[in-house]
Amino acid sequence: MRVVLFAAFYYPYRGGYVESVYEVSRGLAMRGFSVTIVACDTHHAPPNEIHEGIRILRIPAWNPSWLNSSFPLPKPWALLLPAWRLCREDIDAIVTETRFYPTTFLGALMGFFRRIPVLHVEQGSCHPASHRRIIRIAGSLIDHTFGWFACRTASAVVGVSSAAASFAKHLGAPASRTSVIYNPIDVGFWRPDPVPAASHGPIVIAFVGRLVHAKGVQDLLEAFRLVRASSSEEESA
């Protein structure tokens, strides 16, 4: 069975989004599926290569810093290359990842016009968050146009959480074709050390992720500030 997965990013770009795409692709390849990933080339990687049995087609793209280098924009003339290659191939299923990326819309269009079943995987649970109003407005418009098309026309929609599935329904995904499947995790990779005995030292909290507005680190810091201010007021009283 031939599966083509449309993703905004792939290796050598690193992040949780890429890890989830990798785990799904590797799992399919290990089960005998022929897997092709179409992704934006954000690091000048080879345009066509095989990695761990997975074929990767990379589209030349811009990755502007004013979009936090997290929203690659395929170069318009470069979109024709993977589309031309794939239109000449037999494809049994298409997987699209997250509704607002241009690669998702490309995959949805290919599935729609070639009548290929499309599985849309939604990883978001709300409209794009940003401290810039113009980005929030643009994000909502994209969600309710391109995102609506991806969710509405997909043969099936999967949310990586209940909130993501509900948001996909908000964008037009039929409830009868929407379900929840959590992101895959290679549990064999994670072998945590035994939890150390409780100490009386300071509490250490670690955050692992991109320092962007949507991750909400600013809310965590503000909560700490409020707790500390409240504690100081109680001590002075």
Side-chain angles (χ1 to χ4, degrees):
M1 185 174 183
R2 296 177 180 273
V3 179
V4 178
L5 196 152
F6 287 82
F9 306 93
Y10 201 62
Y11 293 129
Y13 188 97
R14 303 306 296 258
Y17 176 93
V18 173
E19 289 296 327
S20 66
V21 172
Y22 167 72
E23 292 294 345
V24 169
S25 303
R26 187 180 65 161
L28 291 172
M30 290 174 62
R31 286 162 176 78
F33 289 80
S34 174
V35 181
T36 296
I37 294 177
V38 179
C40 293
D41 184 5
T42 56
H43 288 71
H44 304 291
N48 190 351
E49 69 173 336
I50 304 294
H51 181 256
E52 294 190 21
I54 300 169
R55 178 190 179 197
I56 307 168
L57 297 179
R58 294 187 177 90
I59 305 172
W62 298 289
N63 196 19
S65 58
W66 55 274
L67 288 175
N68 295 318
S69 299
S70 61
F71 193 89
L73 301 171
K75 297 178 179 179
W77 58 87
L79 284 172
L80 298 176
L81 183 58
W84 173 250
R85 285 179 177 175
L86 295 173
C87 279
R88 296 181 296 171
E89 299 179 8
D90 292 329
I91 300 172
D92 297 299
I94 289 174
V95 179
T96 55
E97 288 275 350
T98 307
R99 81 275 171 198
F100 51 62
Y101 289 120
T103 46
T104 292
F105 188 60
L106 177 61
L109 280 177
M110 183 172 292
F112 182 79
F113 285 111
R114 292 193 58 189
R115 299 184 182 277
I116 300 171
V118 176
L119 170 65
H120 176 67
V121 179
E122 186 51 55
Q123 300 202 36
S125 58
C126 63
H127 296 297
S130 174
H131 62 281
R132 299 179 182 176
R133 187 171 179 228
I134 185 65
I135 292 180
R136 296 197 304 271
I137 294 174
S140 296
L141 289 174
I142 291 172
D143 280 348
H144 285 286
T145 51
F146 300 117
W148 173 88
F149 181 82
C151 291
R152 188 69 181 178
T153 62
S155 305
V157 176
V158 167
V160 300
S161 66
S162 298
S166 296
F167 185 62
K169 295 174 187 176
H170 165 72
L171 294 180
S176 60
R177 300 202 301 265
T178 304
S179 57
V180 178
I181 300 178
Y182 298 103
N183 269 334
I185 297 175
D186 182 2
V187 294
F189 175 82
W190 301 98
R191 297 183 178 86
D193 295 330
V195 178
S199 64
H200 298 289
I203 297 174
V204 178
I205 298 177
F207 167 79
V208 179
R210 290 184 298 116
L211 287 175
V212 295
H213 185 81
K215 300 300 181 182
V217 178
Q218 69 280 358
D219 298 326
L220 179 64
L221 296 177
E222 176 63 11
F224 286 154
R225 186 191 70 79
L226 294 174
V227 169
R228 185 170 184 176
S230 176
S231 298
S232 299
E233 291 177 0
E234 291 179 359
E235 290 176 359
S236 60

